[in-house]
Amino acid sequence: MLRIVALAVVALIAAVTVRTIQYVPAPLPPAAAADSIDLDDAAVLRHLGEAVRFRTISREPPAPIDADQFDGFLAWLAATYPRVFETLSVERVGGYSLLLRWNGSDRTLPPVLLAAHYDVVPVIEGTEDRWQHPPFSGRVADGYLWGRGALDNKNAVVGLLEAVDWLLARGEGPQRTVYFSFGHDEEVGGTQGAAAVVARLVGQGVRLAWSLDEGAFVFRNMFPGVDVPIATINTAEKGSVTLRIVASAEGGHSSMPPQQTAVGRLAAALVRLESNPLPGGLEGLAADTFDAVGPYMPTLPRLMFANRWLFAPLLERQLDDLPFANAMLRTTTAPTMLAASPKVNVLPIEAVATVNFRVHPRDSVEDVVRYVTNLVAGEHVRVEAGEGNPASPVADADGEGFRLVADAVREEFGELVVAPGLLVAATDSRHYAQVAEDAYRFNPMVVTQEELGGFHGTDERIATTGMIQGVRTYVRLLRRL
């Protein structure tokens, strides 16, 4: 018996070792000979800085926007890129969004759409002094351009227009028609901007071969021990649903509290929610991403990824501890807003938590509502469901759009890993996907894990070299059209 066990152990070790040895990076495609693209780097950065200074802030409805800032930004675009606005067809739709059309020489080819948005989230009041540079300064310092919108997503608006302007100045134009959509309300759902653009395209009978909107980046140092850059082209995005968890109790004076208050019951429900996230797993797009990165990892994690059949439970527990990896594996749970008593000495009759769930493609909005209700609802706690959006369809990672974006990125950055991925946030792509065969999400700029913290947070910034490389990549992509 012991001999059989020993032979089984030896066989297991041998299998793990062989699979690990064979789990090596696939040969990277040779980098194409990149043409020189002589941008005016200083002008590109100056233009992005000027764009950031417009406070095109989207606040939660029904809070109004500052129309002067939005009108001013659109006027600035036309004045800064006159060649673009005189050559391309330009429509203002949905109030403050733009739809541009660059006619191709071959009208038989299906068109494509390149998109970005120029609205930004607010800076949390009272945190302005925590920024290294003022949040709407657009200042260039320490190798970065600083300010709200520098990374999300005025960099893409400026980058696309710089690329088009550069090509027009040289008499170059596309073979197929290219649309550009610049949304003004992506941060609050895109229901006025991108939705109006889609309605306009539908009304004109336009069907897109594919679309490209904001998404992941060219990541450096995102995975411990992985030195090669990773370009993650998102082929899908998570959905979203927001639920209200409402706990009730007797009200009264705070000097005579009951054993369980509404706040206490709500707190217990939230602890239960965070301690019991929806089930996840390393499969689908998450598996595709990690399979592309795994062969570049140090020995121990490479061994584990090479033998997922054996180490999957341990791998998933470790990935759960990394916020960005955990978000790829499951529907996430995020309590974001709390409300209870209006006065310090008044016991609330109801305490309310607003909880946002980002819905993984394996789950439906109904699955999330059912799971949360079964987990926390009871005599004194109820779950109220708000509106939700399902996860998007998954675009073809072998399709033309993916290939053209990947080729442009490789031409600009040289040897790097290109992988499909799941975008854990929401974008206007969920609107554009209604008129596109495939919807992709990717920003051709280099970003590190530290810089990602600026998204909707403090010290939002983009590396100046990354911005310039992004513009050059857009030029290379447009030339492929």
mmCIF file of all heavy atoms in Angstrom, residues 208-227:
data_model
loop_
_atom_site.group_PDB
_atom_site.id
_atom_site.type_symbol
_atom_site.label_atom_id
_atom_site.label_comp_id
_atom_site.label_asym_id
_atom_site.label_seq_id
_atom_site.Cartn_x
_atom_site.Cartn_y
_atom_site.Cartn_z
ATOM 1 N N LEU A 208 -21.767 49.224 -37.251
ATOM 2 C CA LEU A 208 -20.318 49.307 -37.103
ATOM 3 C C LEU A 208 -19.682 47.919 -37.117
ATOM 4 O O LEU A 208 -20.229 46.971 -36.541
ATOM 5 C CB LEU A 208 -19.955 50.001 -35.790
ATOM 6 C CG LEU A 208 -20.547 51.402 -35.576
ATOM 7 C CD1 LEU A 208 -20.349 51.840 -34.121
ATOM 8 C CD2 LEU A 208 -19.879 52.407 -36.513
ATOM 9 N N ALA A 209 -18.510 47.829 -37.744
ATOM 10 C CA ALA A 209 -17.745 46.584 -37.662
ATOM 11 C C ALA A 209 -17.296 46.351 -36.224
ATOM 12 O O ALA A 209 -17.380 45.237 -35.699
ATOM 13 C CB ALA A 209 -16.539 46.630 -38.594
ATOM 14 N N TRP A 210 -16.831 47.408 -35.575
ATOM 15 C CA TRP A 210 -16.420 47.323 -34.178
ATOM 16 C C TRP A 210 -16.246 48.722 -33.621
ATOM 17 O O TRP A 210 -16.178 49.702 -34.372
ATOM 18 C CB TRP A 210 -15.131 46.510 -33.998
ATOM 19 C CG TRP A 210 -13.984 46.874 -34.893
ATOM 20 C CD1 TRP A 210 -13.737 46.380 -36.138
ATOM 21 C CD2 TRP A 210 -12.925 47.815 -34.628
ATOM 22 N NE1 TRP A 210 -12.595 46.939 -36.665
ATOM 23 C CE2 TRP A 210 -12.062 47.827 -35.757
ATOM 24 C CE3 TRP A 210 -12.619 48.630 -33.543
ATOM 25 C CZ2 TRP A 210 -10.931 48.631 -35.840
ATOM 26 C CZ3 TRP A 210 -11.484 49.436 -33.616
ATOM 27 C CH2 TRP A 210 -10.655 49.435 -34.745
ATOM 28 N N SER A 211 -16.185 48.803 -32.315
ATOM 29 C CA SER A 211 -15.955 50.076 -31.634
ATOM 30 C C SER A 211 -14.821 49.913 -30.632
ATOM 31 O O SER A 211 -14.527 48.803 -30.174
ATOM 32 C CB SER A 211 -17.223 50.554 -30.915
ATOM 33 O OG SER A 211 -17.587 49.654 -29.872
ATOM 34 N N LEU A 212 -14.187 51.043 -30.305
ATOM 35 C CA LEU A 212 -13.119 51.066 -29.305
ATOM 36 C C LEU A 212 -13.363 52.243 -28.377
ATOM 37 O O LEU A 212 -13.436 53.397 -28.817
ATOM 38 C CB LEU A 212 -11.742 51.191 -29.959
ATOM 39 C CG LEU A 212 -10.556 51.257 -28.984
ATOM 40 C CD1 LEU A 212 -10.366 49.917 -28.274
ATOM 41 C CD2 LEU A 212 -9.270 51.660 -29.706
ATOM 42 N N ASP A 213 -13.488 51.960 -27.098
ATOM 43 C CA ASP A 213 -13.729 52.982 -26.084
ATOM 44 C C ASP A 213 -12.684 52.820 -24.989
ATOM 45 O O ASP A 213 -11.793 51.976 -25.078
ATOM 46 C CB ASP A 213 -15.157 52.820 -25.538
ATOM 47 C CG ASP A 213 -15.657 54.026 -24.759
ATOM 48 O OD1 ASP A 213 -14.965 55.060 -24.730
ATOM 49 O OD2 ASP A 213 -16.757 53.937 -24.170
ATOM 50 N N GLU A 214 -12.801 53.619 -23.937
ATOM 51 C CA GLU A 214 -11.856 53.519 -22.823
ATOM 52 C C GLU A 214 -11.915 52.135 -22.189
ATOM 53 O O GLU A 214 -12.913 51.431 -22.276
ATOM 54 C CB GLU A 214 -12.182 54.579 -21.766
ATOM 55 C CG GLU A 214 -13.536 54.378 -21.102
ATOM 56 C CD GLU A 214 -13.764 55.311 -19.938
ATOM 57 O OE1 GLU A 214 -12.786 55.724 -19.290
ATOM 58 O OE2 GLU A 214 -14.938 55.621 -19.666
ATOM 59 N N GLY A 215 -10.833 51.760 -21.533
ATOM 60 C CA GLY A 215 -10.779 50.469 -20.868
ATOM 61 C C GLY A 215 -9.471 50.314 -20.128
ATOM 62 O O GLY A 215 -8.992 51.261 -19.490
ATOM 63 N N ALA A 216 -8.869 49.132 -20.224
ATOM 64 C CA ALA A 216 -7.596 48.895 -19.563
ATOM 65 C C ALA A 216 -6.471 49.586 -20.343
ATOM 66 O O ALA A 216 -6.697 50.255 -21.352
ATOM 67 C CB ALA A 216 -7.336 47.404 -19.443
ATOM 68 N N PHE A 217 -5.239 49.409 -19.857
ATOM 69 C CA PHE A 217 -4.078 50.125 -20.366
ATOM 70 C C PHE A 217 -2.966 49.138 -20.715
ATOM 71 O O PHE A 217 -3.129 47.919 -20.620
ATOM 72 C CB PHE A 217 -3.563 51.106 -19.311
ATOM 73 C CG PHE A 217 -4.502 52.244 -19.009
ATOM 74 C CD1 PHE A 217 -5.533 52.087 -18.106
ATOM 75 C CD2 PHE A 217 -4.350 53.481 -19.624
ATOM 76 C CE1 PHE A 217 -6.398 53.127 -17.816
ATOM 77 C CE2 PHE A 217 -5.206 54.530 -19.343
ATOM 78 C CZ PHE A 217 -6.232 54.355 -18.435
ATOM 79 N N VAL A 218 -1.823 49.705 -21.080
ATOM 80 C CA VAL A 218 -0.583 48.932 -21.131
ATOM 81 C C VAL A 218 -0.026 48.972 -19.709
ATOM 82 O O VAL A 218 0.417 50.017 -19.236
ATOM 83 C CB VAL A 218 0.426 49.528 -22.124
ATOM 84 C CG1 VAL A 218 1.718 48.721 -22.110
ATOM 85 C CG2 VAL A 218 -0.161 49.558 -23.531
ATOM 86 N N PHE A 219 -0.089 47.847 -19.018
ATOM 87 C CA PHE A 219 0.259 47.816 -17.600
ATOM 88 C C PHE A 219 1.728 47.451 -17.409
ATOM 89 O O PHE A 219 2.229 46.508 -18.015
ATOM 90 C CB PHE A 219 -0.611 46.797 -16.857
ATOM 91 C CG PHE A 219 -2.058 47.180 -16.778
ATOM 92 C CD1 PHE A 219 -3.040 46.346 -17.288
ATOM 93 C CD2 PHE A 219 -2.445 48.379 -16.190
ATOM 94 C CE1 PHE A 219 -4.379 46.689 -17.211
ATOM 95 C CE2 PHE A 219 -3.778 48.743 -16.109
ATOM 96 C CZ PHE A 219 -4.749 47.896 -16.623
ATOM 97 N N ARG A 220 2.378 48.186 -16.542
ATOM 98 C CA ARG A 220 3.739 47.856 -16.108
ATOM 99 C C ARG A 220 3.716 47.592 -14.606
ATOM 100 O O ARG A 220 3.057 48.306 -13.851
ATOM 101 C CB ARG A 220 4.707 48.996 -16.403
ATOM 102 C CG ARG A 220 5.034 49.176 -17.885
ATOM 103 C CD ARG A 220 6.224 50.123 -18.060
ATOM 104 N NE ARG A 220 6.436 50.476 -19.451
ATOM 105 C CZ ARG A 220 7.124 49.745 -20.313
ATOM 106 N NH1 ARG A 220 7.662 48.607 -19.916
ATOM 107 N NH2 ARG A 220 7.273 50.139 -21.570
ATOM 108 N N ASN A 221 4.434 46.551 -14.191
ATOM 109 C CA ASN A 221 4.582 46.211 -12.772
ATOM 110 C C ASN A 221 3.238 45.986 -12.093
ATOM 111 O O ASN A 221 3.086 46.222 -10.894
ATOM 112 C CB ASN A 221 5.354 47.317 -12.034
ATOM 113 C CG ASN A 221 6.684 47.628 -12.672
ATOM 114 O OD1 ASN A 221 7.402 46.711 -13.086
ATOM 115 N ND2 ASN A 221 7.029 48.902 -12.782
ATOM 116 N N MET A 222 2.254 45.524 -12.855
ATOM 117 C CA MET A 222 0.946 45.255 -12.278
ATOM 118 C C MET A 222 0.935 43.920 -11.547
ATOM 119 O O MET A 222 0.270 43.752 -10.535
ATOM 120 C CB MET A 222 -0.113 45.268 -13.378
ATOM 121 C CG MET A 222 -1.542 45.131 -12.873
ATOM 122 S SD MET A 222 -2.052 46.494 -11.822
ATOM 123 C CE MET A 222 -2.040 47.839 -13.002
ATOM 124 N N PHE A 223 1.692 42.958 -12.081
ATOM 125 C CA PHE A 223 1.764 41.637 -11.477
ATOM 126 C C PHE A 223 3.154 41.452 -10.864
ATOM 127 O O PHE A 223 4.161 41.659 -11.550
ATOM 128 C CB PHE A 223 1.511 40.558 -12.530
ATOM 129 C CG PHE A 223 0.173 40.679 -13.207
ATOM 130 C CD1 PHE A 223 0.036 41.410 -14.380
ATOM 131 C CD2 PHE A 223 -0.944 40.063 -12.671
ATOM 132 C CE1 PHE A 223 -1.186 41.527 -15.009
ATOM 133 C CE2 PHE A 223 -2.175 40.166 -13.297
ATOM 134 C CZ PHE A 223 -2.302 40.902 -14.456
ATOM 135 N N PRO A 224 3.241 41.069 -9.594
ATOM 136 C CA PRO A 224 4.544 40.917 -8.942
ATOM 137 C C PRO A 224 5.457 39.974 -9.710
ATOM 138 O O PRO A 224 5.068 38.865 -10.087
ATOM 139 C CB PRO A 224 4.175 40.336 -7.567
ATOM 140 C CG PRO A 224 2.762 40.770 -7.334
ATOM 141 C CD PRO A 224 2.112 40.779 -8.682
ATOM 142 N N GLY A 225 6.673 40.446 -9.963
ATOM 143 C CA GLY A 225 7.673 39.617 -10.617
ATOM 144 C C GLY A 225 7.556 39.554 -12.119
ATOM 145 O O GLY A 225 8.369 38.884 -12.768
ATOM 146 N N VAL A 226 6.568 40.223 -12.716
ATOM 147 C CA VAL A 226 6.386 40.205 -14.170
ATOM 148 C C VAL A 226 6.930 41.510 -14.740
ATOM 149 O O VAL A 226 6.399 42.587 -14.468
ATOM 150 C CB VAL A 226 4.899 40.037 -14.553
ATOM 151 C CG1 VAL A 226 4.734 40.091 -16.066
ATOM 152 C CG2 VAL A 226 4.357 38.722 -13.998
ATOM 153 N N ASP A 227 7.997 41.405 -15.509
ATOM 154 C CA ASP A 227 8.668 42.599 -16.034
ATOM 155 C C ASP A 227 8.138 43.030 -17.397
ATOM 156 O O ASP A 227 8.248 44.199 -17.765
ATOM 157 C CB ASP A 227 10.176 42.344 -16.143
ATOM 158 C CG ASP A 227 10.804 42.083 -14.774
ATOM 159 O OD1 ASP A 227 10.334 42.682 -13.787
ATOM 160 O OD2 ASP A 227 11.750 41.279 -14.706
#
